[in-house]
Amino acid sequence: MVALPHTVHARHEIAFDVDVLFGALPSRNLDASMDAVGEQLSRHGIARGLLCSLRGGLFDACSGNDEMRKVTEQTGHVPVGTVDIRDALTAETEIARMAAEGVQLLRLFPPEQWVEPESPGLRHVIGTAVAHGLVLLTSGDVSRYWPAFSGTRVCFLDVHAYKVADFVVLARREPGFVASTRMLVGPDSIERIAGEVGAHHLAYGSRAPVHDVMPSALRLRMSGLGDDEWRQVAGGTATAWLEDVQ
């Protein structure tokens, strides 16, 4: 564990990180191996990650999902599948395969796959995942992509502190919308969302190993949330997803 500023001891362990990747990332000189990712999570007091393969998101969904399944069986992290949104027909088959194998979460990469918010393929993939009972995680600007996810259980992984008001307005009418805390590092971003719509609309995410874990983990530990709110964000929201879809 790295040396951290003083925090309440009960806030040292974060039960779930909902935004964890592993595998090959040729565009950066970065060790994204599972050994490196596991060491990073452990060093920052994070018990388990919702784990998705970089290969699956950026190169080949099927082989990436196979890689993800093997690694999560070995490590105990939670499996998160993905698909190529640009090929919605192949995605149908892959979503059915993952659901049959017990995968409960689907991570989408619309900006990385150059998929626009109004894409018919994106809406079809979301509808197929919902029909199989999967909870969704997605990258992309919540202000642009939210219409396609209306009525679903989804975690927006890229909600920025500048978009807090947009997210709160949406969450007031979308009970399934959740924001990752990774980019909510403003002075009151996390507290404002919890106060306006409830801590169940928040989940801790770091995007390890692509992003440094320290800022997001420290921001959550030093937040002004009450104890129950803190436990909700640090693991309760992700636990509810997994329990609801079992």
Side-chain angles (χ1 to χ4, degrees):
M1 174 79 72
V2 296
L4 295 171
H6 176 72
T7 58
V8 178
H9 180 73
R11 297 192 175 193
H12 281 186
E13 180 174 291
I14 295 172
F16 278 112
D17 182 338
V18 304
D19 188 358
V20 183
L21 297 155
F22 80 100
L25 190 60
S27 62
R28 290 179 57 178
N29 183 22
L30 176 71
D31 185 356
S33 66
M34 196 56 233
D35 286 344
V37 173
E39 190 279 331
Q40 191 173 16
L41 295 180
S42 177
R43 179 156 43 92
H44 289 281
I46 297 169
R48 298 177 74 192
L50 274 52
L51 189 69
C52 185
S53 161
L54 282 161
R55 177 190 297 275
L58 304 180
F59 305 109
D60 179 75
C62 294
S63 63
N65 288 331
D66 289 341
E67 177 185 58
M68 174 275 299
R69 292 286 288 157
K70 181 178 179 180
V71 167
T72 54
E73 287 171 2
Q74 294 171 342
T75 62
H77 293 293
V78 178
V80 178
T82 192
V83 293
D84 187 341
I85 307 168
R86 296 163 295 190
D87 185 355
L89 300 180
T90 300
E92 287 179 337
T93 305
E94 186 63 10
I95 289 171
R97 181 175 78 103
M98 286 187 292
E101 292 178 351
V103 176
Q104 299 168 301
L105 301 119
L106 181 72
R107 179 167 178 155
L108 302 179
F109 296 82
E112 294 87 349
Q113 295 177 355
W114 298 88
V115 173
E116 295 297 324
E118 63 275 14
S119 161
L122 175 60
R123 289 185 179 273
H124 182 71
V125 165
I126 293 169
T128 303
V130 170
H132 283 84
L134 302 181
V135 177
L136 298 161
L137 313 170
T138 189
S139 54
D141 182 352
V142 64
S143 301
R144 298 183 62 226
Y145 282 94
W146 76 267
F149 292 90
S150 181
T152 71
R153 291 177 297 172
V154 56
C155 181
F156 291 95
L157 300 170
D158 295 337
V159 177
H160 192 276
Y162 292 160
K163 297 297 179 74
V164 165
D166 274 1
F167 180 78
V168 167
V169 169
L170 291 169
R172 284 175 177 170
R173 62 183 185 185
E174 294 284 356
F177 279 17
V178 169
S180 164
T181 60
R182 178 176 62 90
M183 299 175 73
L184 298 175
V185 293
D188 64 350
S189 301
I190 294 174
E191 294 84 349
R192 195 175 180 195
I193 290 176
E196 291 283 350
V197 292
H200 60 288
H201 282 283
L202 291 163
Y204 173 72
S206 72
R207 196 157 300 176
V210 182
H211 287 209
D212 187 355
V213 174
M214 173 71 83
S216 57
L218 186 59
R219 175 68 183 89
L220 179 60
R221 289 189 170 103
M222 302 295 288
S223 71
L225 298 178
D227 290 344
D228 288 345
E229 293 175 318
W230 194 88
R231 286 190 289 270
Q232 179 71 40
V233 180
T237 301
T239 298
W241 291 335
L242 299 174
E243 290 176 346
D244 287 348
V245 294
Q246 284 179 350

